[in-house]
């Protein structure tokens, strides 16, 4: 079974930066599309970014494009999300996910336990 463990969240001021990490095990990491999603209090999951298995292609939600960068190190079974110019509306629990949700709910894919990102002055 896939095991995903996120880390790197914290409290940061608006305009600040964070790098989230996700360590994967239990499956062939480099053969899988990976994603980051987030969930703000009282809301559903929101797709943030995805990257192909080899890391050659990535995509971003309009709300984070130009500020966030997804990357991966297949030798380390690791997925990253570099977040710059953080805004208060980026406050959420961030999860890495194996693959991409077919129904848009993100409850149909393996996810980690999440790491909290709070952007506040």
């Amino acid at each position: 079974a896939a095991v995903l463990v996120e880390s790197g969240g914290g409290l940061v001021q608006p305009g600040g930066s964070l790098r989230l990490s996700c360590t994967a095990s239990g499956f062939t990491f480099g053969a899988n599309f990976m994603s980051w999603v987030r969930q703000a209090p009282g809301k559903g999951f929101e797709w943030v970014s995805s990257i192909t298995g080899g890391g050659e292609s990535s995509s971003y939600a309009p709300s984070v494009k130009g500020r966030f960068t997804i990357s991966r190190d297949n030798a380390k079974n690791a997925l990253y999300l570099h977040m710059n110019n953080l805004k208060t509306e980026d406050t959420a629990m961030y999860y890495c996910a194996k693959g991409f949700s077919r129904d848009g709910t993100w409850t149909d894919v393996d996810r980690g336990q999440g790491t909290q990102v709070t952007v506040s002055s």
Side-chain angles (χ1 to χ4, degrees):
V3 177
L4 302 166
V5 180
E6 302 93 338
S7 61
L11 173 64
V12 63
Q13 292 185 340
S17 300
L18 281 175
R19 187 185 82 157
L20 306 184
S21 300
C22 171
T23 301
S25 61
F27 64 101
T28 306
F29 180 73
N32 281 269
F33 201 87
M34 295 294 295
S35 301
W36 285 98
V37 298
R38 65 188 182 185
Q39 187 175 34
K43 297 187 176 181
F45 290 104
E46 176 190 12
W47 172 71
V48 174
S49 181
S50 295
I51 188 168
T52 52
E56 62 278 356
S57 182
S58 57
S59 55
Y60 299 89
S63 58
V64 306
K65 193 170 186 178
R67 299 188 297 120
F68 291 10
T69 303
I70 191 171
S71 63
R72 64 192 298 161
D73 185 338
N74 287 345
K76 296 181 178 179
N77 281 7
L79 180 73
Y80 305 103
L81 186 68
H82 303 254
M83 305 185 295
N84 295 320
N85 191 21
L86 282 160
K87 304 177 180 181
T88 56
E89 52 263 41
D90 295 319
T91 295
M93 187 73 79
Y94 283 72
Y95 301 85
C96 67
K98 175 174 172 280
F100 197 90
S101 176
R102 292 179 181 270
D103 61 10
T105 66
W106 294 94
T107 59
D108 58 335
V109 298
D110 293 315
R111 289 176 282 109
Q113 84 291 345
T115 187
Q116 177 68 39
V117 171
T118 301
V119 185
S120 175
S121 55

